[in-house]
């Protein structure tokens, strides 16, 4: 892409606060964006070939939304964690194995999408995020869900298409968790904590495609309690 095209994009972004440049084969984060650190509210660089997010990302202090889906990121810089106004972060389809240690400092974060990466566990850093609504960790390599998940504040947690065979019973302590998606994992029925059914806030549990028949789930103690929540929620949204 020529410099004049980039210049035009930058001029538009300066007026609108939105910089969107998707599917252009970019191999690096455009350095010229640093001229707009105080203008930009939204950056979308999805469907490119970006391998590194530079430390200068931490300077976009007004950024609310950052999308880098389908790039070639293997790690994220600690500087990303300085974005105190960031509400939406989409990083689907990269090669991420972990999150920066300070990720819990993204205090405004509401939506986090990390589908199709190489995470092996539910990152403990997520437990510190108080405004999280939706977390998508589907299509990773997660094998177990640790005790720290009990502190997760999310309303929806998507763990579809992982390799999960163990889930901490603490998941039923999540104060706001309403939707739990566990489709296409490696769960035996005995490994699904019954407290999810009998003693949690979860009103939509999706577990198709595991190592048990769904009708067996209906025989578990607590299933009727879960169905009460499920039906009540359904009525609310109907």
């Amino acid at each position: 892409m020529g410099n004049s095209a980039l210049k035009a994009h930058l001029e538009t972004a300066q007026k609108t606060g939105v910089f969107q440049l998707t599917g252009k084969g970019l191999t690096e984060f455009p350095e010229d964006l640093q001229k707009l650190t105080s203008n930009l509210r939204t950056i979308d660089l999805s469907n490119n070939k970006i391998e590194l997010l530079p430390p200068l990302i931490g300077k976009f202090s007004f950024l609310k939304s950052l999308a880098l889906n389908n790039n070639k990121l293997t790690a994220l810089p600690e500087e990303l964690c300085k974005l105190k106004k960031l509400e939406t972060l989409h990083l689907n389809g990269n090669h991420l194995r972990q999150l920066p240690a300070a990720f819990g400092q993204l205090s405004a974060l509401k939506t986090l999408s990390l589908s199709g990466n190489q995470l092996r566990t539910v990152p403990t850093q997520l437990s510190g995020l108080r405004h999280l609504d939706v977390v998508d960790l589907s299509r990773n390599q997660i094998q177990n869900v640790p005790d720290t998940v009990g502190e997760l504040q999310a309303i929806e947690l998507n763990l579809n298409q992982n390799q999960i065979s163990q889930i901490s019973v603490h998941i039923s302590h999540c104060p706001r968790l309403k939707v739990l998606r566990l489709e296409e994992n490696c769960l035996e029925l005995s490994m699904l904590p019954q407290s999810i059914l009998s003693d949690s806030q979860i009103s939509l549990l999706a577990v198709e495609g595991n190592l048990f028949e769904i009708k067996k789930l209906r025989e578990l103690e607590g299933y009727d309690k879960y169905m009460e929540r499920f039906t009540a929620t359904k009525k609310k949204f109907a």
Side-chain angles (χ1 to χ4, degrees):
M1 192 184 66
N3 271 349
S4 55
L6 181 60
K7 203 169 166 214
H9 274 281
L10 287 168
E11 281 170 13
T12 310
Q14 195 166 2
K15 296 186 188 95
T16 61
V18 177
F19 185 82
Q20 187 176 26
L21 202 56
T22 58
K24 294 286 188 239
L26 293 181
T27 52
E28 48 190 46
F29 186 88
E31 289 274 306
D32 286 348
L33 279 186
Q34 57 188 323
K35 298 171 188 159
L36 300 177
T37 46
S38 56
N39 300 66
L40 291 184
R41 305 291 185 270
T42 300
I43 296 177
D44 185 354
L45 293 165
S46 297
N47 304 313
N48 282 295
K49 295 173 181 168
I50 297 169
E51 291 179 23
L52 274 179
L53 200 52
L56 73 89
I57 192 67
K59 296 188 174 144
F60 292 89
S61 43
F62 297 97
L63 201 62
K64 282 192 163 182
S65 173
L66 177 61
L68 286 152
N69 296 326
N70 305 318
N71 275 282
K72 296 181 183 289
L73 298 171
T74 53
L76 299 170
E78 287 289 340
E79 286 80 2
L80 177 71
C81 309
K82 293 179 180 168
L83 301 178
K84 297 290 182 215
K85 289 193 165 34
L86 195 68
E87 294 177 6
T88 309
L89 181 57
H90 291 292
L91 294 162
N92 301 326
N94 281 282
H95 308 293
L96 299 169
R97 291 172 185 272
Q98 58 191 40
L99 298 179
F103 198 81
Q105 293 174 12
L106 290 170
S107 48
L109 204 60
K110 291 179 182 172
T111 303
L112 175 63
S113 298
L114 286 160
S115 180
N117 279 281
Q118 293 168 19
L119 298 172
R120 292 184 177 273
T121 184
V122 176
T124 52
Q125 296 95 314
L126 302 186
S127 301
L129 297 167
R130 293 280 164 251
H131 298 288
L132 217 46
D133 290 335
V134 179
V135 182
D136 185 354
L137 300 173
S138 61
R139 298 191 302 112
N140 276 279
Q141 296 160 19
I142 297 169
Q143 293 173 4
N144 65 0
V145 180
D147 289 351
T148 47
V149 76
E151 293 161 40
L152 191 69
Q153 297 285 329
I155 296 168
E156 176 170 346
L157 176 58
N158 186 342
L159 291 164
N160 289 347
Q161 292 176 297
N162 277 284
Q163 298 151 23
I164 296 167
S165 58
Q166 284 186 307
I167 300 180
S168 166
V169 66
H170 289 267
I171 197 159
S172 51
H173 301 168
C174 290
R176 299 166 70 215
L177 192 62
K178 298 275 194 287
V179 179
L180 177 58
R181 301 185 188 279
L182 286 162
E183 293 180 9
E184 294 178 52
N185 277 285
C186 310
L187 281 168
E188 302 271 359
L189 191 56
S190 59
M191 286 294 165
L192 192 71
Q194 290 204 6
S195 55
I196 289 178
L197 298 172
S198 59
D199 192 23
S200 78
Q201 301 288 320
I202 295 165
S203 55
L204 177 63
L205 176 65
V207 286
E208 284 78 7
N210 278 281
L211 307 179
F212 58 87
E213 292 176 48
I214 291 296
K215 64 170 186 269
K216 295 278 187 213
L217 181 69
R218 296 179 194 136
E219 293 162 15
L220 288 185
E221 201 179 325
Y223 187 78
D224 48 347
K225 278 191 164 178
Y226 160 68
M227 279 314 290
E228 282 172 22
R229 295 193 304 272
F230 176 81
T231 312
T233 309
K234 245 189 153 163
K235 279 187 187 141
K236 214 171 10 183
F237 291 119

